[in-house]
Amino acid sequence: MITVLAEKPSVARELAALLNATEKKEGFFQGNGYYVTWALGHLVTLGLPEDYGFPSFQKDNLPIIPAPFMLTPRKGSGNERLLPDKRIVKQLVTIGDLFRKSESLIAATDTGREGELIFRYIYEYLNCRKPFKRLWVSSLTEKALRKGFANLLPGEEFEKLYLAARARSRADWLVGINASQALSIAAGTGIYSLGRVQTPTLGLVCKRFLEHRDHKPAKYWQLQLVHTKSFLEFRSNGALHFDTQEKAEDVLKSVQRQSHATVSAVLSETVHEPAPLLFDLTALQKEANRKYGLTASETLEIAQSLYEKQFITYPRTGSKYVTQDVWEGIPALIRSLQHDPELDKHLTKIKFGRLNRHIVNEGKVTDHHGLLITEKLPSSLSVKEDVIYKMIALRLLESVSEACTKEVSRITLQVLHYDFGLTASEITEPGWRSIQNAFDDNTIEERNVPELKEGDRVTITSSTIKQKQHAGPQLYTEASLLSAMEQIISENCTAASKTDLKDVGLGTPATRASIIEGLLDRQYIERKGKALIPTSKGLVVYEIVANMRIGSAVMTAEWEIALASIEQGTFSSEKFQSEIEAYTKSITDELLKAPVKNEAVPELLCPKCGEHHLHISDKVVKCTAEQCGWLQFRKVCGTILPAAEIENLVKNRTTNVLKGMVSKSGKKFNARLILDDEHQVAFAFEK
């Protein structure tokens, strides 16, 4: 018998059907010489400090550097965080039994660094020595799977991938566990979490927030003229920016006495806008956030669902290109869209005889190629699944289309001795932009401008003053934060490091969504409309680590380079771990000495028993007497209760109106929180 280990039950079902292992058992399928079973994500993880005999948050234990590292079944949550999850243990027992009864194994977890780690940690924890092969596919369609099973790869070919994954796992443990405990001990109250990627990402959000908050917008005034020629109306803007309105008004009076402007210069050029590349995961997440307000986590979840339903290729890809052999199947993929009424109308714009090959680049495809649809046509998609599927399909059509060509003219007009300018644009070949009629991206260009040449006189129909201001740093949205995480080069980088870090970012396409969600869950950042802003707790952490290496995005990116080198076999995983251990000792000592400004919390008596004081932590407010049991979570419908509002609630039995709370259906609302006669918290809505 051969055991096939998939990452999820849904994938295992597909593999079992393909292999004719149709007999359903508890925790696996069997038949035709195969056992097909599944993990539940990370079944096996690195042990907690308690597993090594180190009770949490004791200064004398730090730094904790396991030798060797211990693997344990994934723990439970809440009160059972130190105990193995019973469901996990049960599935591990099933997998172990199947491994023992098999001659060989097939690793069919997701084809990437984390998928490899999931299989190897289970393999090591069970102390298995059976030979195994690797199923390496980019989609879960029947055609791709049959080809994958016919061309299984030797397990040893992925040893370097595993070493890189293990090195990442251990580095995150060493830095995360020790730094978090050290800062929490230094604070004396509350739990603080730091991480190799999490903390520099928090730094990006905090730094931008402070720059935005402290920016003092500089106003300026600019003249604008409206012209007509050949019955067409267009605008031009003054070249001068005035620092006072009075100066602008003085010039306006002179200009208003003139009825015509003279064209003093016309500079024209042909501009070719190349077709976009395919989506990688991060690009898909950015576009879905920008267009539809989907979070990075939502987009990944939807894409993963489409992948498991066999409608798209592997979503956790960091490439926007395809190889030559994949390219050969793309015309057929495009033609298959004729069966979709909404997508079929775009196929008339595709020139099948001369498809744009710029997405073909063997050197820029690593584990997986760019996101593609598959030959399996979708059915019964949810609204959000349909949105993401069509985004991927339309991007494919755009990527194989020709460049968009336009004639751009930069025109200078003169009134008296004052210059006014405009940029006119005319599309001569729509190319890829015709797929989604995306012609309104560049708002600084005037459309429908009459033909103008040097020396022409054009009528001035009106003249006004526009008050403007220099835009300051904009708060991060999820889309712009993902862009910042992709490219972390800063003004502090040396020329050499800029070259090294050119294609390196914070985290990987597969992990960036979880990093952002982690910061939200830990109440370090919060959503304010589309913007991401730090909480008071997040700013406290940033103030402490801003000048430490743990807060440095460049340092984290250098680690990513090292991990990639381990994967390529050019750097030793042992040397990497040695460097991480040395750094862990340094940052632990630094954080233990860090001054921490804790949130000022009021001393309040319990509203229920009226006798004991309340304990106010980051997440809950509760009575210190167990027999009383009064408790209130600080996060209510996505809004964190500030200490002042907790005081209002307890003393006055009502808060002020809390704005921007989000219901279970995703709708925003405003309400007060009140304490009712039973001392329970309820909503009070304004009339």
Side-chain angles (χ1 to χ4, degrees):
M1 297 288 284
I2 300 173
T3 292
V4 180
L5 179 64
E7 192 162 316
K8 293 182 179 180
S10 57
V11 177
R13 281 194 294 273
E14 297 291 339
L15 300 181
L18 182 78
L19 298 170
N20 292 319
T22 54
E23 187 179 351
K24 179 74 170 70
K25 296 288 186 178
E26 185 72 23
F28 66 99
F29 298 89
Q30 73 175 31
N32 195 33
Y34 290 97
Y35 297 125
V36 181
T37 187
W38 56 85
L40 298 165
H42 285 275
L43 283 183
V44 175
T45 63
L46 296 178
L48 295 175
E50 290 81 0
D51 295 316
Y52 299 94
F54 296 116
S56 291
F57 303 98
Q58 293 190 10
K59 183 176 180 180
D60 292 342
N61 293 336
L62 300 183
I64 303 169
I65 300 180
F69 276 88
M70 182 188 301
L71 294 175
T72 68
R74 194 170 77 219
K75 300 293 196 291
S77 57
N79 293 332
E80 297 189 346
R81 62 173 288 274
L82 300 180
L83 300 174
D85 187 306
K86 293 176 183 177
R87 189 173 60 113
I88 298 299
V89 172
K90 182 179 178 182
Q91 188 62 16
L92 266 175
V93 169
T94 298
I95 294 170
D97 185 49
L98 297 178
F99 278 15
R100 282 188 294 273
K101 294 191 292 187
S102 299
E103 292 83 36
S104 63
L105 317 173
I106 296 175
T109 47
D110 279 359
T111 45
R113 191 186 284 175
E114 287 309 296
E116 188 68 21
L117 190 68
I118 287 171
F119 173 79
R120 294 296 192 103
Y121 270 3
I122 294 171
Y123 185 83
E124 282 197 14
Y125 176 76
L126 295 173
N127 199 26
C128 185
R129 296 291 180 267
K130 299 283 176 72
F132 68 90
K133 292 188 176 181
R134 210 8 162 142
L135 174 70
W136 194 267
V137 293
S138 286
S139 78
L140 294 178
T141 61
E142 182 179 343
K143 179 181 176 182
L145 289 173
R146 287 194 183 281
K147 183 178 179 181
F149 275 108
N151 297 278
L152 292 170
L153 300 171
E156 55 267 23
E157 284 191 15
F158 299 90
E159 187 68 18
K160 294 169 188 172
L161 178 65
Y162 165 58
L163 291 176
R166 188 181 69 180
R168 193 278 311 155
S169 174
R170 291 178 174 181
D172 285 349
W173 194 101
L174 287 167
V175 175
I177 293 288
N178 287 289
S180 299
Q181 291 200 16
L183 184 56
S184 300
I185 290 168
T189 180
I191 303 296
Y192 291 85
S193 173
L194 298 178
R196 180 180 64 91
V197 181
Q198 167 192 295
T199 304
T201 305
L202 172 64
L204 291 175
V205 176
C206 291
K207 185 171 184 289
R208 177 61 60 85
F209 170 78
L210 294 173
E211 290 171 345
H212 175 83
R213 185 195 67 184
D214 298 338
H215 174 71
K216 293 179 173 55
K219 294 180 182 178
Y220 67 93
W221 286 260
Q222 184 180 28
L223 271 59
Q224 185 180 82
L225 306 180
V226 179
H227 311 276
T228 55
K229 185 176 188 294
S230 304
F231 305 103
L232 291 174
E233 184 178 275
F234 59 99
R235 291 168 176 76
S236 65
N237 293 308
L240 294 176
H241 291 180
F242 301 96
D243 55 8
T244 67
Q245 186 171 350
E246 291 73 19
K247 291 178 183 178
E249 287 174 346
D250 287 344
V251 174
L252 180 65
K253 289 174 185 176
S254 300
V255 170
Q256 285 177 330
R257 289 193 283 268
Q258 308 301 311
S259 59
H260 290 81
T262 303
V263 178
S264 59
V266 179
L267 298 175
S268 298
E269 63 175 333
T270 301
V271 175
H272 300 283
E273 291 182 343
L277 298 168
L278 298 172
F279 282 127
D280 64 3
L281 176 59
T282 304
L284 178 69
Q285 289 169 319
K286 289 192 295 185
E287 189 76 353
N289 180 257
R290 187 180 68 82
K291 275 189 171 182
Y292 305 107
L294 293 172
T295 68
S297 180
E298 284 178 309
T299 301
L300 175 55
E301 185 179 341
I302 295 163
Q304 183 69 23
S305 173
L306 290 170
Y307 170 66
E308 291 174 11
K309 292 177 180 178
Q310 306 173 22
F311 299 140
I312 66 170
T313 56
Y314 185 69
R316 290 175 168 83
T317 177
S319 176
K320 299 179 180 181
Y321 297 87
V322 298
T323 54
Q324 177 60 38
D325 62 321
V326 174
W327 169 260
E328 290 167 3
I330 280 181
L333 281 182
I334 295 172
R335 287 192 173 92
S336 71
L337 295 176
Q338 64 187 322
H339 300 291
D340 184 307
E342 191 174 333
L343 294 170
D344 177 50
K345 62 187 180 185
H346 299 290
L347 297 190
T348 56
K349 305 168 189 174
I350 300 298
K351 298 176 180 178
F352 284 95
R354 46 195 178 105
L355 296 178
N356 189 341
R357 289 176 50 90
H358 73 136
I359 60 173
V360 181
N361 190 323
E362 303 275 346
K364 293 194 175 181
V365 178
T366 51
D367 294 340
H368 299 282
H369 54 68
L371 265 167
L372 293 170
I373 57 171
T374 67
E375 62 269 20
K376 183 176 179 180
L377 294 173
S379 58
S380 304
L381 296 183
S382 69
V383 172
K384 290 182 178 179
E385 285 177 333
D386 187 63
V387 163
I388 296 299
Y389 178 82
K390 285 188 167 60
M391 282 180 65
I392 295 168
L394 290 169
R395 175 53 64 91
L396 169 60
L397 298 182
E398 289 176 337
S399 72
V400 299
S401 300
E402 295 178 331
C404 172
T405 304
K406 55 185 180 181
E407 292 296 322
V408 178
S409 298
R410 292 172 179 81
I411 301 163
T412 304
L413 305 172
Q414 198 167 53
V415 181
L416 299 174
H417 58 280
Y418 300 107
D419 286 339
F420 293 80
L422 70 147
T423 301
S425 175
E426 181 183 356
I427 304 278
T428 55
E429 175 56 58
W432 66 271
R433 286 193 176 275
S434 68
I435 300 297
Q436 299 191 68
N437 292 318
F439 297 115
D440 57 350
D441 287 359
N442 199 337
T443 56
I444 65 168
E445 297 175 354
E446 285 278 327
R447 312 271 182 210
N448 301 316
V449 175
E451 184 177 346
L452 296 172
K453 60 183 184 297
E454 195 172 327
D456 283 352
R457 282 164 54 83
V458 293
T459 304
I460 301 173
T461 56
S462 67
S463 51
T464 56
I465 295 174
K466 297 290 183 181
Q467 180 182 306
K468 300 181 179 181
Q469 63 183 36
H470 297 289
Q474 297 300 300
L475 293 171
Y476 277 123
T477 63
E478 206 145 332
S480 59
L481 180 58
L482 285 167
S483 291
M485 293 173 75
E486 268 191 305
Q487 181 61 272
I488 54 80
I489 293 176
S490 72
E491 64 276 8
N492 299 323
C493 294
T494 63
S497 63
K498 284 183 178 181
T499 302
D500 292 339
L501 300 174
K502 181 175 178 293
D503 298 316
V504 183
L506 286 173
T508 65
T511 61
R512 287 176 189 137
S514 63
I515 293 162
I516 295 172
E517 290 300 317
L519 290 171
L520 289 162
D521 290 343
R522 292 180 176 97
Q523 300 174 15
Y524 282 174
I525 65 173
E526 60 185 343
R527 291 189 174 96
K528 186 176 181 181
K530 280 192 171 184
L532 294 171
I533 63 171
T535 62
S536 57
K537 182 179 180 181
L539 287 169
V540 166
V541 173
Y542 173 67
E543 186 178 332
I544 294 166
V545 303
N547 296 316
M548 295 182 183
R549 286 191 71 207
I550 195 169
S552 167
V554 172
M555 182 197 73
T556 303
E558 288 170 346
W559 289 2
E560 292 292 347
I561 293 173
L563 291 171
S565 299
I566 294 170
E567 194 170 321
Q568 294 158 10
T570 58
F571 190 65
S572 161
S573 61
E574 289 79 11
K575 183 169 174 27
F576 176 77
Q577 183 167 326
S578 175
E579 292 176 356
I580 294 293
E581 288 176 0
Y583 170 71
T584 299
K585 293 173 183 175
S586 168
I587 192 62
T588 301
D589 183 59
E590 195 173 4
L591 287 166
L592 284 170
K593 299 172 183 175
V596 181
K597 296 177 183 177
N598 289 305
E599 179 187 31
V601 293
E603 287 193 9
L604 301 169
L605 287 176
C606 173
K608 182 179 178 181
C609 69
E611 297 179 5
H612 299 89
H613 283 89
L614 293 175
H615 171 69
I616 302 175
S617 70
D618 299 328
K619 296 188 177 182
V620 298
V621 182
K622 65 179 182 179
C623 183
T624 52
E626 289 186 15
Q627 63 271 24
C628 172
W630 189 85
L631 180 145
Q632 172 60 38
F633 288 99
R634 287 190 71 171
K635 191 173 186 179
V636 181
C637 295
T639 297
I640 307 297
L641 286 180
E645 293 298 355
I646 294 171
E647 187 171 10
N648 284 333
L649 182 65
V650 173
K651 286 186 174 180
N652 306 324
R653 304 190 75 81
T654 180
T655 66
N656 293 308
V657 175
L658 302 176
K659 297 183 178 181
M661 290 190 283
V662 182
S663 69
K664 289 181 180 179
S665 63
K667 293 183 178 178
K668 291 186 177 181
F669 67 96
N670 304 330
R672 298 176 187 271
L673 297 183
I674 61 168
L675 277 176
D676 62 21
D677 294 338
E678 301 298 321
H679 313 293
Q680 298 297 310
V681 174
F683 293 111
F685 297 95
E686 300 293 289
K687 292 183 180 179

